[in-house]
PDB file of all heavy atoms in Angstrom:
ATOM      1  N   VAL A  45     151.705 126.059  65.239  1.00 96.00           N
ATOM      2  CA  VAL A  45     150.977 126.944  66.135  1.00 96.00           C
ATOM      3  C   VAL A  45     150.906 126.262  67.495  1.00 96.00           C
ATOM      4  O   VAL A  45     150.496 125.105  67.583  1.00 96.00           O
ATOM      5  CB  VAL A  45     149.543 127.216  65.615  1.00 96.00           C
ATOM      6  CG1 VAL A  45     148.787 128.125  66.564  1.00 96.00           C
ATOM      7  CG2 VAL A  45     149.572 127.794  64.213  1.00 96.00           C
ATOM      8  N   GLU A  46     151.310 126.974  68.547  1.00 96.00           N
ATOM      9  CA  GLU A  46     151.248 126.447  69.905  1.00 96.00           C
ATOM     10  C   GLU A  46     150.170 127.195  70.685  1.00 96.00           C
ATOM     11  O   GLU A  46     150.109 128.418  70.632  1.00 96.00           O
ATOM     12  CB  GLU A  46     152.592 126.631  70.606  1.00 96.00           C
ATOM     13  CG  GLU A  46     152.592 126.114  72.027  1.00 96.00           C
ATOM     14  CD  GLU A  46     153.920 126.349  72.718  1.00 96.00           C
ATOM     15  OE1 GLU A  46     154.385 127.505  72.732  1.00 96.00           O
ATOM     16  OE2 GLU A  46     154.475 125.373  73.222  1.00 96.00           O
ATOM     17  N   ILE A  47     149.327 126.424  71.382  1.00 94.00           N
ATOM     18  CA  ILE A  47     148.284 127.018  72.208  1.00 94.00           C
ATOM     19  C   ILE A  47     148.463 126.506  73.630  1.00 94.00           C
ATOM     20  O   ILE A  47     148.285 125.314  73.894  1.00 94.00           O
ATOM     21  CB  ILE A  47     146.878 126.656  71.691  1.00 94.00           C
ATOM     22  CG1 ILE A  47     146.722 127.088  70.238  1.00 94.00           C
ATOM     23  CG2 ILE A  47     145.805 127.291  72.573  1.00 94.00           C
ATOM     24  CD1 ILE A  47     145.470 126.586  69.562  1.00 94.00           C
ATOM     25  N   LEU A  48     148.861 127.400  74.531  1.00 95.00           N
ATOM     26  CA  LEU A  48     148.999 127.065  75.938  1.00 95.00           C
ATOM     27  C   LEU A  48     147.680 127.332  76.648  1.00 95.00           C
ATOM     28  O   LEU A  48     146.854 128.108  76.153  1.00 95.00           O
ATOM     29  CB  LEU A  48     150.110 127.903  76.572  1.00 95.00           C
ATOM     30  CG  LEU A  48     151.495 127.767  75.940  1.00 95.00           C
ATOM     31  CD1 LEU A  48     152.464 128.736  76.596  1.00 95.00           C
ATOM     32  CD2 LEU A  48     151.989 126.341  76.038  1.00 95.00           C
ATOM     33  N   ASP A  49     147.481 126.705  77.820  1.00 91.00           N
ATOM     34  CA  ASP A  49     146.226 126.843  78.566  1.00 91.00           C
ATOM     35  C   ASP A  49     145.062 126.537  77.622  1.00 91.00           C
ATOM     36  O   ASP A  49     144.080 127.262  77.536  1.00 91.00           O
ATOM     37  CB  ASP A  49     146.121 128.249  79.152  1.00 91.00           C
ATOM     38  CG  ASP A  49     145.059 128.370  80.227  1.00 91.00           C
ATOM     39  OD1 ASP A  49     144.592 127.317  80.738  1.00 91.00           O
ATOM     40  OD2 ASP A  49     144.680 129.506  80.553  1.00 91.00           O
ATOM     41  N   ALA A  50     145.223 125.426  76.886  1.00 89.00           N
ATOM     42  CA  ALA A  50     144.341 125.092  75.768  1.00 89.00           C
ATOM     43  C   ALA A  50     142.869 124.951  76.154  1.00 89.00           C
ATOM     44  O   ALA A  50     141.994 125.393  75.414  1.00 89.00           O
ATOM     45  CB  ALA A  50     144.822 123.807  75.093  1.00 89.00           C
ATOM     46  N   GLN A  51     142.586 124.336  77.301  1.00 85.00           N
ATOM     47  CA  GLN A  51     141.179 124.159  77.664  1.00 85.00           C
ATOM     48  C   GLN A  51     140.497 125.493  77.893  1.00 85.00           C
ATOM     49  O   GLN A  51     139.330 125.658  77.562  1.00 85.00           O
ATOM     50  CB  GLN A  51     141.057 123.252  78.884  1.00 85.00           C
ATOM     51  CG  GLN A  51     141.398 121.820  78.545  1.00 85.00           C
ATOM     52  CD  GLN A  51     141.113 120.868  79.688  1.00 85.00           C
ATOM     53  OE1 GLN A  51     140.363 121.175  80.599  1.00 85.00           O
ATOM     54  NE2 GLN A  51     141.725 119.707  79.638  1.00 85.00           N
ATOM     55  N   ASN A  52     141.227 126.466  78.411  1.00 87.00           N
ATOM     56  CA  ASN A  52     140.655 127.794  78.601  1.00 87.00           C
ATOM     57  C   ASN A  52     140.513 128.526  77.268  1.00 87.00           C
ATOM     58  O   ASN A  52     139.483 129.126  76.982  1.00 87.00           O
ATOM     59  CB  ASN A  52     141.521 128.608  79.570  1.00 87.00           C
ATOM     60  CG  ASN A  52     140.909 129.944  79.898  1.00 87.00           C
ATOM     61  OD1 ASN A  52     139.723 130.047  80.170  1.00 87.00           O
ATOM     62  ND2 ASN A  52     141.731 130.963  79.878  1.00 87.00           N
ATOM     63  N   VAL A  53     141.547 128.454  76.442  1.00 87.00           N
ATOM     64  CA  VAL A  53     141.538 129.164  75.158  1.00 87.00           C
ATOM     65  C   VAL A  53     140.508 128.561  74.194  1.00 87.00           C
ATOM     66  O   VAL A  53     139.767 129.273  73.523  1.00 87.00           O
ATOM     67  CB  VAL A  53     142.948 129.153  74.515  1.00 87.00           C
ATOM     68  CG1 VAL A  53     142.910 129.693  73.096  1.00 87.00           C
ATOM     69  CG2 VAL A  53     143.917 129.948  75.372  1.00 87.00           C
ATOM     70  N   LEU A  54     140.455 127.213  74.136  1.00 82.00           N
ATOM     71  CA  LEU A  54     139.568 126.541  73.184  1.00 82.00           C
ATOM     72  C   LEU A  54     138.187 126.235  73.764  1.00 82.00           C
ATOM     73  O   LEU A  54     137.292 125.832  73.037  1.00 82.00           O
ATOM     74  CB  LEU A  54     140.217 125.242  72.702  1.00 82.00           C
ATOM     75  CG  LEU A  54     141.543 125.417  71.965  1.00 82.00           C
ATOM     76  CD1 LEU A  54     142.166 124.061  71.682  1.00 82.00           C
ATOM     77  CD2 LEU A  54     141.353 126.207  70.684  1.00 82.00           C
ATOM     78  N   GLY A  55     138.027 126.403  75.054  1.00 78.00           N
ATOM     79  CA  GLY A  55     136.756 126.101  75.699  1.00 78.00           C
ATOM     80  C   GLY A  55     136.904 124.937  76.648  1.00 78.00           C
ATOM     81  O   GLY A  55     137.576 123.958  76.337  1.00 78.00           O
ATOM     82  N   ALA A  56     136.315 125.059  77.815  1.00 66.00           N
ATOM     83  CA  ALA A  56     136.417 124.016  78.837  1.00 66.00           C
ATOM     84  C   ALA A  56     135.781 122.724  78.352  1.00 66.00           C
ATOM     85  O   ALA A  56     134.938 122.707  77.468  1.00 66.00           O
ATOM     86  CB  ALA A  56     135.741 124.485  80.122  1.00 66.00           C
ATOM     87  N   GLY A  57     136.204 121.627  78.966  1.00 63.00           N
ATOM     88  CA  GLY A  57     135.654 120.323  78.605  1.00 63.00           C
ATOM     89  C   GLY A  57     136.462 119.691  77.499  1.00 63.00           C
ATOM     90  O   GLY A  57     137.667 119.860  77.413  1.00 63.00           O
ATOM     91  N   ASP A  58     135.775 118.962  76.642  1.00 63.00           N
ATOM     92  CA  ASP A  58     136.450 118.269  75.541  1.00 63.00           C
ATOM     93  C   ASP A  58     137.034 119.262  74.549  1.00 63.00           C
ATOM     94  O   ASP A  58     136.539 120.372  74.393  1.00 63.00           O
ATOM     95  CB  ASP A  58     135.464 117.367  74.788  1.00 63.00           C
ATOM     96  CG  ASP A  58     134.949 116.229  75.650  1.00 63.00           C
ATOM     97  OD1 ASP A  58     135.678 115.813  76.571  1.00 63.00           O
ATOM     98  OD2 ASP A  58     133.820 115.776  75.411  1.00 63.00           O
TER      99      ASP A  58
END
Side-chain angles (χ1 to χ4, degrees):
V45 179
E46 180 182 53
I47 303 171
L48 302 175
D49 195 15
Q51 289 187 19
N52 185 45
V53 171
L54 299 173
D58 295 332

